[in-house]
Amino acid sequence: MSERIIPIVDHLYAASVPQVPAHAADVQGQPTDRLHRPLHDLRISVTDRCNFRCTYCMPKEIFDKHYEFLQHADLLSFEEITRAARVFIDLGVRKIRLTGGEPLLRKHLERLVDMLHGLRTLDGTPPELTLTTNGSILARKAQQLKDAGLDRVTVSLDALDDAAFRRMNDVDFPVADVLHGIDAAIAAGLAPVKVNMVVKRGTNDAQILPMAEHFRGTGVVLRFIEYMDVGNTNGWRMDEVLPSQQVIDRIHAVHPLHPLEPHSAGETAQRWAYDDGAGEIGVISSVTRAFCASCNRARLSMEGKLYLCLFATHGHDLRALLRGDPRTGLAPVSDAELRAALAQVWTQRDDRYSLLRGTAAGQSLRNERKVEMSYIGG
Ligand code: SAM
Ligand code: SF4
Ligand code: SF4
């Protein structure tokens, strides 16, 4: 007899309301954290819902019809997201990535893109705006998103073979529709389009070479991601992780590669180029090569909780600051107060889970309840 697994209710993720410093207006400048890392990237998850059930992210047995997704009133409005983003930008953020769940399921997302595009970074330019999507409805949305000010898009695609892809997404979604989405993104000029493939040893690693060969010479940058121990529901096991070096070795044996320099500090992917000039690929070795030392990302959930690490067990409740909290008598804060509170949170950050993974401290973190990838958005 199979036991029913009790669903984890997202809005119960632990969070505390950040303190607003007494002299908020005096807090100026761009903060760095305890490991001297600046705040540069903001990932905003706009929904906890998704039309896929990728086995490594939202396994069907848990994210089933009993699972309690958030109600619309719990989500930050586009105005609240834009206000928070403006304050993050004031603290140094230059790049914003929209994610989810599946971000294109959030109605009128192009309105949010338009609002974020209207913001200005400290050097007077619009923030770099990107989106990560499963590509299922991208063919319909790509041009609208581009027109609203989206710069680039990353499409997740774990196999080229239709049967293998349907098994990975676990809702029988055909690969052809995602490929159409990628074509539409290219046609709309959301370039360079990136494609992310999560590699699970024994599940889709036979697709590495077909994927590489499909995207070679197209201008699309294919990136291979090591299967990560995020969240608590995917039953992660180390023996299902295929180290990135083996991905490179397999491709290099057929299509020789050479390493490229990173574009910027804090870039998570290691870049490789085909010797014959057919473009580049990347590997994101989240498990075998920790990049915490340069991690400059903050993550904001759809209900306004701020997480300082993908593996965090605890968030900071910005929605309470933005809306006020009648339970505690907290009034909505001003932009200056929000800024000062966020600066203080970032200054105290010392998260570095990947560096600690093999240690006793990492083990104890692993035993705590972490946020799910579908909640925080990768
Ligand atoms: N639904 C969108 C998508 O799939 O692109 C955006 C959200 S999804 C959570 C963001 C990224 O996280 C995807 O590229 C997905 O493949 C990746 N991801 C999810 N679970 C993962 C895991 N356990 N290990 C590595 N990457 C994972
Ligand atoms: Fe949905 Fe993206 Fe998670 Fe797949 S990886 S289940 S598409 S949120
Ligand atoms: Fe950043 Fe946390 Fe990942 Fe390290 S483990 S790179 S701190 S998100």
Side-chain angles (χ1 to χ4, degrees):
M1 197 180 74
S2 68
E3 266 178 50
R4 163 124 183 86
I5 301 166
I6 297 171
I8 295 163
V9 180
D10 282 352
H11 57 261
L12 293 183
Y13 280 131
S16 59
V17 181
Q19 293 282 317
V20 176
H23 301 288
D26 300 337
V27 180
Q28 295 301 330
Q30 282 81 61
T32 51
D33 70 9
R34 287 194 191 168
L35 305 181
H36 312 292
R37 299 169 295 188
L39 174 55
H40 186 279
D41 283 20
L42 177 63
R43 299 203 159 195
I44 304 174
S45 179
V46 293
T47 177
D48 56 341
R49 292 167 197 256
C50 186
N51 53 342
F52 283 13
R53 287 293 178 271
C54 303
T55 50
Y56 53 74
C57 178
M58 295 182 80
K60 241 180 185 168
E61 311 75 57
I62 293 178
F63 294 88
D64 62 8
K65 63 178 191 311
H66 303 290
Y67 188 83
E68 285 184 52
F69 290 99
L70 292 167
Q71 299 301 309
H72 192 74
D74 293 323
L75 307 184
L76 292 187
S77 67
F78 289 168
E79 287 72 20
E80 288 170 326
I81 293 175
T82 307
R83 181 177 171 217
R86 184 185 307 116
V87 173
F88 274 104
I89 284 176
D90 198 29
L91 292 170
V93 162
R94 286 162 181 276
K95 186 171 158 191
I96 297 178
R97 178 175 295 276
L98 299 177
T99 179
E102 174 45 43
L104 296 184
L105 294 186
R106 180 86 187 246
K107 281 210 183 91
H108 309 302
L109 190 73
E110 60 287 352
R111 269 193 47 223
L112 176 63
V113 170
D114 182 50
M115 290 161 78
L116 294 173
H117 183 63
L119 299 175
R120 290 295 171 265
T121 61
L122 296 169
D123 57 17
T125 54
E128 192 185 334
L129 280 182
T130 65
L131 169 90
T132 303
T133 171
N134 62 24
S136 56
I137 50 175
L138 185 59
R140 272 193 272 142
K141 294 270 189 173
Q143 190 61 54
Q144 267 177 312
L145 291 164
K146 175 70 186 176
D147 294 346
L150 191 72
D151 292 306
R152 287 186 294 102
V153 76
T154 299
V155 181
S156 303
L157 178 63
D158 298 326
L160 201 61
D161 174 75
D162 191 54
F165 182 63
R166 287 175 193 254
R167 276 197 301 279
M168 292 293 284
N169 64 57
D170 217 10
V171 292
D172 212 26
F173 196 87
V175 75
D177 290 15
V178 178
L179 295 174
H180 285 144
I182 293 171
D183 289 342
I186 296 169
L190 291 164
V193 173
K194 292 183 182 161
V195 168
N196 278 357
M197 171 178 175
V198 175
V199 180
K200 245 181 123 174
R201 191 202 291 268
T203 302
N204 66 338
D205 56 323
Q207 289 292 303
I208 291 170
L209 206 53
M211 287 280 286
E213 293 187 332
H214 181 83
F215 289 111
R216 257 169 62 79
T218 63
V220 168
V221 179
L222 175 61
R223 302 180 325 159
F224 299 91
I225 305 181
E226 286 176 353
Y227 171 43
M228 280 186 278
D229 46 343
V230 278
N232 318 274
T233 57
N234 63 9
W236 183 86
R237 296 202 326 251
M238 187 65 201
D239 60 6
E240 289 182 316
V241 177
L242 185 78
S244 296
Q245 188 54 51
Q246 293 187 34
V247 173
I248 294 299
D249 292 347
R250 287 191 197 185
I251 299 172
H252 179 73
V254 185
H255 302 288
L257 294 162
H258 57 271
L260 293 175
E261 289 298 314
H263 279 307
S264 59
E267 189 170 53
T268 52
Q270 289 172 293
R271 303 167 59 218
W272 293 78
Y274 291 109
D275 288 356
D276 64 3
E280 71 173 84
I281 60 168
V283 287
I284 302 179
S285 316
S286 331
V287 179
T288 60
R289 180 186 149 269
F291 33 78
C292 303
S294 57
C295 180
N296 52 23
R297 292 185 179 165
R299 295 175 158 87
L300 183 62
S301 80
M302 63 295 297
E303 55 175 340
K305 290 179 188 167
L306 172 68
Y307 289 86
L308 303 180
C309 176
L310 201 47
F311 299 90
T313 53
H314 181 270
H316 302 267
D317 187 358
L318 300 196
R319 193 181 66 188
L321 295 183
L322 292 165
R323 292 187 185 173
D325 185 355
R327 289 167 307 179
T328 59
L330 179 75
V333 300
S334 68
D335 281 3
E337 287 169 328
L338 182 59
R339 185 188 189 289
L342 290 180
Q344 186 158 283
V345 165
W346 189 262
T347 309
Q348 288 164 3
R349 174 186 190 239
D350 66 354
D351 300 68
R352 55 192 189 293
Y353 174 80
S354 286
L355 277 173
L356 300 175
R357 189 181 267 110
T359 66
Q363 184 60 48
S364 90
L365 276 174
R366 192 159 33 250
N367 296 337
E368 288 183 56
R369 216 183 85 201
K370 296 171 281 177
V371 282
E372 292 297 326
M373 195 71 147
S374 55
Y375 177 83
I376 205 66

